[in-house]
Amino acid sequence: MKSRRHRAVAALLTCALTGGATALATGAQAAPTRDDTANAGPAFTRPEAPGPQLRLPKPTGPRAVGRTSLHLTDHSRRDPWVPRSGDRELMVSLYYPARKGTGTPAPYMSVEGARLFLEDRGIEGVPAEVLSGTRTHTRAGARPAPGSYPLLVLSPGFSVPGTTLTGLAEELTSRGYVVAVVDHAYEAVGVEFPGRGILPCAACGRVDGDTVGSAAKGRAKDLRFVLDRLAGSRPVWRHAGLIDKKRVGMGGHSLGGAGAAAATAGDARVRAAVNMDGPFVDVGPSSGLSGRPMLLMGTAADHSGRDKEWEAAWTKLNGWKRWLRVAGADHFAFTDLAPLAGQLGEDTPDGLPGHRAAAITGAYVGAFFDQHLRGRPQPILNGPSNANPEVTFHHPRRGVDLGRSTNRP
């Protein structure tokens, strides 16, 4: 098991998980005990009202961001975790380019969802209101901006809600994408379903090295179903005309990254995919994934030369591909939890600052989809950049990493 980013994770509202992709990074490990938190450094003291105002990083694109929610039910499948509950249900947070000045400020998450999330992780001293009150750059119910936009479907890490990908969704939407962030029933803490309330994480503790493959394939079925309902012949979203059905990408973090890759493998509609620090299943010519562009973004610590799983996947990918290793990053550096921890003063001295983690993730994921869904060449993907010295381009067959020192002036 990999080392924990003690101070930031224990002090914040994060997942306090050990492990990276090698340990599946599924969140199946138990929450830290009180002693674990104490050993991680000084406890975060409950702030006096009204408390700190957390904010997501400002998106870099020119588009305003709107958001709506969709509750989808796949009547062809029973829920894999709680079969007695009935058909498989999903919640989709749908982000879209919007007309500026319309809509109302969108909340980050509910107070009750935040409370359950913090409680589940054993995090004390951080009021739920601080997490739920995080300032977003999204407007609920905003009027869509006219146009045709590529569709990106994103899946979060196991046991954590899709809320943790809000910052990335805002960044991509501001650049001109419709982004669907999927919450998978019974696979996270703090997600509310209409008529059902906040569902428990029935799957937590049930995914490990032996079952992660089936869990990822289940995610893949979910993501393909969402794609059917958004870009199929009978879309459920009334503004589905905004979606360019010929330009579809998928991505995810941790188990969500594995699910995105698996969904791409089985669906020719998906033109490009991103796996952020997640495992791989079913990679190879027979999977259907070969030939499609794939971006792998991982921590330098977890995805070194010892990472046989990613190396095996890499050799089987015969389309455009990049393997980026981010120095100083922990497993949750690719989510909102990194910049939020930084705002609470909990960046680790020898780690990647939260604001840099967010900037790097948005820059490279955005560039990847701009290049492969919009046909706009992105020099940032060609090799090391002086602007991002933390990022190296890993080449397993060469046994080398190309870093800033090799960059041409």
Side-chain angles (χ1 to χ4, degrees):
M1 304 298 283
K2 305 296 185 292
S3 61
R4 181 178 295 148
R5 181 186 183 181
H6 292 292
R7 295 173 61 88
V9 175
L12 184 72
L13 30 104
T14 82
C15 302
L17 303 176
T18 62
T22 306
L24 306 181
T26 59
Q29 181 174 335
T33 65
R34 183 170 299 179
D35 287 342
D36 288 331
T37 303
N39 292 336
F44 184 79
T45 303
R46 177 181 292 271
E48 304 216 355
Q53 174 65 69
L54 301 176
R55 297 175 182 269
L56 295 180
K58 184 178 180 180
T60 65
R63 304 277 186 173
V65 180
R67 189 180 77 195
T68 190
S69 296
L70 298 176
H71 176 213
L72 304 181
T73 302
D74 185 351
H75 297 292
S76 70
R77 293 188 292 144
R78 303 287 286 183
D79 187 89
W81 306 108
V82 187
R84 68 178 182 277
S85 70
D87 296 333
R88 182 63 164 163
E89 294 183 69
L90 304 165
M91 287 302 299
V92 178
S93 296
L94 201 58
Y95 298 80
Y96 53 89
R99 292 183 181 274
K100 294 182 179 180
T102 64
T104 58
Y108 187 64
M109 65 190 306
S110 71
V111 174
E112 180 62 9
R115 184 189 68 78
L116 292 172
F117 185 61
L118 294 167
E119 181 181 88
D120 177 72
R121 297 305 171 184
I123 305 301
E124 300 179 351
V126 177
E129 292 81 3
V130 171
L131 172 56
S132 67
T134 297
R135 187 70 59 84
T136 72
H137 301 278
T138 298
R139 309 283 290 188
R143 295 201 306 272
S148 180
Y149 309 100
L151 171 66
L152 304 177
V153 183
L154 304 182
S155 180
F158 185 70
S159 82
V160 298
T163 293
T164 58
L165 296 179
T166 300
L168 178 59
E170 290 184 338
E171 170 63 23
L172 295 170
T173 303
S174 78
R175 297 169 74 130
Y177 293 88
V178 172
V179 181
V181 178
V182 182
D183 272 303
H184 310 261
Y186 298 109
E187 294 187 23
V189 174
V191 181
E192 185 171 359
F193 283 72
R196 305 287 298 279
I198 296 178
L199 298 182
C201 185
C204 288
R206 296 168 60 183
V207 177
D208 56 24
D210 296 325
T211 59
V212 67
S214 60
K217 292 177 183 178
R219 288 276 179 110
K221 292 178 182 178
D222 290 345
L223 299 179
R224 291 190 204 111
F225 176 72
V226 170
L227 183 53
D228 289 341
R229 304 308 287 147
L230 291 178
S233 58
R234 301 180 65 182
V236 296
W237 185 36
R238 66 191 183 103
H239 297 299
L242 295 174
I243 295 173
D244 183 342
K245 299 178 181 180
K246 296 182 179 180
R247 295 187 292 173
V248 175
M250 284 195 178
H253 169 248
S254 192
L255 183 62
T264 300
D267 199 321
R269 294 173 296 179
V270 184
R271 290 176 49 182
V274 175
N275 184 346
M276 297 181 291
D277 220 41
F280 273 99
V281 296
D282 290 344
V283 179
S286 62
S287 72
L289 185 59
S290 294
R292 250 89 62 84
M294 173 66 69
L295 175 65
L296 287 66
M297 288 189 71
T299 66
D302 293 344
H303 299 290
S304 64
R306 298 185 300 275
D307 186 355
K308 302 304 181 184
E309 182 184 271
W310 273 34
E311 288 191 1
W314 178 265
T315 61
K316 296 176 182 178
L317 296 171
N318 58 15
W320 186 102
K321 58 186 178 181
R322 294 291 186 273
W323 178 341
L324 306 183
R325 293 170 56 184
V326 186
D330 67 11
H331 182 57
F332 285 92
F334 309 100
T335 73
D336 295 344
L337 304 180
L340 296 182
Q343 290 174 49
L344 289 174
E346 294 297 334
D347 280 330
T348 52
D350 57 348
L352 181 68
H355 72 279
R356 286 295 300 148
I360 288 169
T361 302
Y364 283 93
V365 174
F368 172 78
F369 286 124
D370 280 351
Q371 178 161 312
H372 296 290
L373 296 186
R374 285 198 161 109
R376 300 174 181 173
Q378 301 291 311
I380 193 176
L381 299 175
N382 294 338
S385 166
N386 286 324
N388 299 295
E390 306 93 338
V391 179
T392 57
F393 285 63
H394 187 51
H395 298 276
R397 288 184 179 179
R398 302 179 193 174
V400 299
D401 287 340
L402 299 181
R404 179 179 58 171
S405 62
T406 64
N407 196 33
R408 294 181 180 179

